C-alpha cells in the first residue's frame, strides 16, 4: 500500500488515486455506537414500559419493531445503489435526520398505527446509517486494508448495547418512555448528524477494478449461482443465529436457571462477539473466502447444538456462550467482506444490499418463528437442535459459493485464488 501526501487539507493516505478522510473512521465508530444503541437497543429496554403505559399488546409493539428491520432490509438494496454512485455522506446524514424524526414520531404516537408508522421510518433510517453504508464507505476508502477498518467499526458497534441499554434504563427510571425517547433523539441528532455531514466529505473515488472483476456487472453477479447460493447460506445462517440469541434466555429458564443467570449468559456472548472480531483479520489472511465461510457457519451450527446438548453446569454454558459470541462476531465481518472477497469493490453497495436483504429479513422474523416452533417441538432444546440443523444446511451450501476469482487486486501483493 502506497502512502500519499495529504490532499487539500481533507484527505490523508490512500491507495492509487483514492484518499482517506482522516475523521471518517473515528466518526463512523462513534455513530455506529450511537445509532445502534438508540434506534435498535433502546427498544427492548423500553418495550415493557411502552406496553404498560399504553395498553398496546406486547406482540403488536414487537411486531412494529420487527417491521422496521424488514423495511431496513428491503430499503438497503436501493441504499446500496446510491452509495456506489454518490458515496456515504448524503445517505448517512439524511438517515440520521430521518432517525431523529422517526423517534420523535414514536415518542409522540397517540395510537398504535402511528407508532408502527414511526418504526417504519426508523427502518429506512437503519438502512441508511447502520453497518451496511458504513461498510460501503470503508471498503471504498480503505481498500485493500479495509478489513482492519471494518474490524474497528464493528468493535465499536459491539459496544452499543453496553453503553445504551444501561443508559436507557437509567433514563426510564426517572422519565416516561416517551420522554426517554425524546432525550435519546436529542443525543442521536447531536452526535450523528454533524458527524456524518462533516466527517464524510472526502471525494468519493471511482471503484477500482481488476481483470478478474471488470467484466462482471452487478446485475450479472446478482443472478450468478455463487451469489444466489451465498445469499441462501447467509439467510439460513442469520435465521438460526438470531433465533438462538432471542431463545437463549427462555432455554435457560426452562432448565431452571434464574432470570439473572440467563441474562448474564446472553450478555457474556456479547463480550465473546467483540473478542471474535479481533481474530477475523488473521483468519482472513490464512483462508480463502469460501473456506472461512464454510468454517464459520459450521462453527455456528456446532455452538448451537452445544446449547441443546449441554444442560450444565452453568460455567460450561457460559463458555459455550462466549464461543457462540465469537462465531457471531466473525460472521458479521464475514458478511461485510463477502462481496469484496469474491467480486471486488466496484459494485459493493448494490451487491451488499442485495446479499443482505434476505438475511436481514430472516433475522427480523427469526424471534417470532423460533418462539412459535418451540411449542410444537416440545421445548427450546429441540428448537436449538433444529436451528443447528439449519446452520448445517447453510454450511453445506457454502463450499459452492466460490467464484474461482482472485480474492485480492493484483497491486495488493500475492493473491489467494478461491477454489471450491
Amino acid at each position: 500500500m502506497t502512502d500519499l501526501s495529504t490532499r487539500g487539507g481533507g484527505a490523508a493516505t490512500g491507495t492509487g488515486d483514492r484518499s482517506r478522510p482522516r475523521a471518517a473512521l473515528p466518526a463512523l465508530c462513534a455513530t455506529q455506537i450511537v445509532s445502534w444503541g438508540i434506534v435498535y437497543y433502546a427498544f427492548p429496554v423500553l418495550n415493557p414500559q411502552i406496553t404498560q403505559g399504553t395498553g398496546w399488546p406486547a406482540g403488536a409493539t414487537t411486531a412494529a419493531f420487527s417491521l422496521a428491520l424488514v423495511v431496513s432490509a428491503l430499503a438497503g438494496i436501493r441504499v446500496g445503489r446510491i452509495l456506489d454512485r454518490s458515496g456515504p455522506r448524503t445517505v448517512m446524514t439524511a438517515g440520521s435526520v430521518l432517525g431523529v424524526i422517526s423517534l420523535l414520531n414514536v415518542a409522540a404516537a397517540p395510537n398504535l398505527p402511528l407508532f408502527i408508522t414511526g418504526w417504519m421510518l426508523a427502518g429506512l433510517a437503519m438502512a441508511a446509517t447502520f453497518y451496511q453504508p458504513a461498510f460501503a464507505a470503508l471498503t471504498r476508502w480503505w481498500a485493500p486494508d479495509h478489513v482492519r477498518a471494518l474490524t474497528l467499526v464493528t468493535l465499536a458497534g459491539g459496544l452499543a448495547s453496553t453503553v445504551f441499554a444501561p443508559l436507557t434504563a437509567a433514563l426510564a427510571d426517572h422519565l416516561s418512555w416517551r420522554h426517554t425517547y425524546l432525550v435519546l433523539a436529542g443525543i442521536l441528532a447531536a452526535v450523528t448528524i454533524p458527524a456524518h455531514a462533516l466527517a464524510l466529505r472526502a471525494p468519493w473515488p471511482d471503484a477500482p477494478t481488476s481483470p478478474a472483476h471488470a467484466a462482471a456487472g452487478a446485475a450479472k453477479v446478482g443472478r450468478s449461482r455463487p451469489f444466489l447460493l451465498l445469499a441462501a447460506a447467509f439467510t439460513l445462517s442469520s435465521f438460526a443465529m438470531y433465533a438462538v440469541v432471542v431463545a437463549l434466555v427462555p432455554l435457560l429458564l426452562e432448565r431452571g436457571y434464574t432470570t439473572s443467570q440467563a441474562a448474564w449468559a446472553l450478555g457474556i456472548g456479547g463480550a465473546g462477539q467483540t473478542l471474535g472480531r479481533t481474530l477475523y483479520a488473521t483468519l482472513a489472511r490464512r483462508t480463502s473466502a469460501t473456506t472461512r465461510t464454510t468454517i464459520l457457519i459450521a462453527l455456528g451450527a456446532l455452538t448451537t447444538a452445544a446449547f441443546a446438548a449441554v444442560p450444565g453446569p452453568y460455567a460450561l454454558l457460559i463458555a459455550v456462550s462466549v464461543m457462540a459470541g465469537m462465531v457471531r462476531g466473525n460472521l458479521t465481518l464475514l458478511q461485510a467482506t463477502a462481496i469484496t472477497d469474491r467480486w471486488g469493490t466496484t459494485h459493493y453497495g448494490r451487491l451488499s444490499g442485495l446479499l443482505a436483504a434476505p438475511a436481514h429479513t430472516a433475522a427480523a422474523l427469526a424471534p417470532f418463528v423460533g418462539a412459535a416452533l418451540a411449542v410444537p417441538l416440545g421445548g427450546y432444546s429441540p428448537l436449538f437442535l433444529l436451528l443447528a440443523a439449519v446452520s448445517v444446511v447453510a454450511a453445506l451450501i457454502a463450499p459452492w459459493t466460490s467464484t474461482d476469482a482472485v480474492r485480492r487486486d493484483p497491486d495488493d501483493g500475492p493473491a489467494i485464488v478461491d477454489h471450491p
Side-chain angles (χ1 to χ4, degrees):
M1 183 172 62
T2 304
D3 291 338
L4 301 180
S5 59
T6 301
R7 303 179 189 180
T13 61
T15 301
D17 63 350
R18 287 173 286 171
S19 58
R20 296 177 181 176
R22 284 195 184 96
L25 185 55
L28 288 172
C29 287
T31 60
Q32 289 303 300
I33 293 174
V34 175
S35 297
W36 277 97
I38 291 175
V39 183
Y40 187 92
Y41 285 108
F43 175 79
V45 177
L46 293 176
N47 194 39
Q49 195 178 108
I50 293 172
T51 57
Q52 183 179 4
T54 61
W56 300 333
T61 56
T62 304
F65 182 71
S66 292
L67 180 60
L69 300 179
V70 174
V71 170
S72 175
L74 299 177
I77 299 173
R78 178 60 180 169
V79 168
R81 294 184 179 186
I82 298 173
L83 286 165
D84 281 337
R85 182 173 63 250
S86 305
R89 186 189 183 198
T90 300
V91 168
M92 298 192 77
T93 304
S96 293
V97 173
L98 187 58
V100 173
I101 293 173
S102 70
L103 293 185
L104 294 177
N105 192 320
V106 167
N111 52 51
L112 191 55
L114 287 179
F115 182 82
I116 294 172
T117 300
W119 279 110
M120 292 178 69
L121 292 176
L124 296 175
M126 292 176 187
T129 58
F130 278 11
Y131 279 146
Q132 183 184 328
F135 288 166
L138 295 175
T139 297
R140 183 73 68 89
W141 272 322
W142 259 258
D145 196 28
H146 56 284
V147 172
R148 182 171 61 178
L150 295 175
T151 300
L152 289 173
V153 166
T154 55
L155 287 173
L159 298 174
S161 61
T162 306
V163 174
F164 279 95
L167 176 60
T168 301
L171 289 172
D173 285 339
H174 299 89
L175 303 171
S176 69
W177 70 269
R178 295 183 187 275
H179 287 105
T180 297
Y181 262 130
L182 290 177
V183 172
L184 293 176
I187 296 173
L188 186 70
V191 175
T192 65
I193 295 175
H196 289 150
L198 298 176
L200 305 179
R201 293 185 297 174
W204 189 235
D206 293 333
T209 59
S210 68
H213 302 133
K220 182 179 179 181
V221 170
R223 293 191 300 268
S224 67
R225 189 183 73 168
F227 185 90
L228 295 175
L229 291 176
L230 186 64
F234 281 165
T235 298
L236 292 172
S237 177
S238 294
F239 174 83
M241 180 173 66
Y242 282 94
V244 164
V245 169
V246 175
L248 181 58
V249 170
L251 172 73
L252 298 186
L253 293 177
E254 186 178 76
R255 291 175 174 173
Y257 292 98
T258 66
T259 301
S260 177
Q261 287 175 315
W264 271 106
L266 177 62
I268 204 71
Q273 190 167 300
T274 299
L275 175 62
R277 286 170 178 166
T278 65
L279 306 175
Y280 184 80
T282 300
L283 180 65
R285 286 194 299 269
R286 297 183 178 181
T287 61
S288 70
T290 301
T291 299
R292 63 178 169 275
T293 300
T294 305
I295 290 172
L296 289 172
I297 294 177
L299 287 175
L302 183 62
T303 56
T304 301
F307 277 126
V310 177
Y314 183 67
L316 184 55
L317 286 170
I318 289 293
V320 173
S321 183
V322 171
M323 292 298 297
M326 291 176 68
V327 174
R328 288 200 306 273
N330 276 280
L331 283 169
T332 300
L333 286 167
L334 178 74
Q335 294 186 26
T337 57
I339 297 298
T340 307
D341 288 338
R342 292 169 174 82
W343 297 285
T345 61
T346 306
H347 304 291
Y348 180 89
R350 180 177 178 182
L351 291 175
S352 65
L354 288 171
L355 186 65
H360 289 175
T361 302
L365 298 176
F368 292 98
V369 177
L373 289 174
V375 176
L377 289 173
Y380 281 90
S381 290
L383 173 64
F384 272 63
L385 288 175
L386 176 61
L387 294 173
V390 171
S391 290
V392 168
V393 173
L396 292 174
I397 294 172
W400 300 97
T401 63
S402 171
T403 60
D404 289 328
V406 176
R407 189 165 66 88
R408 301 176 65 186
D409 290 342
D411 295 335
D412 300 340
I416 297 176
V417 179
D418 190 19
H419 291 296

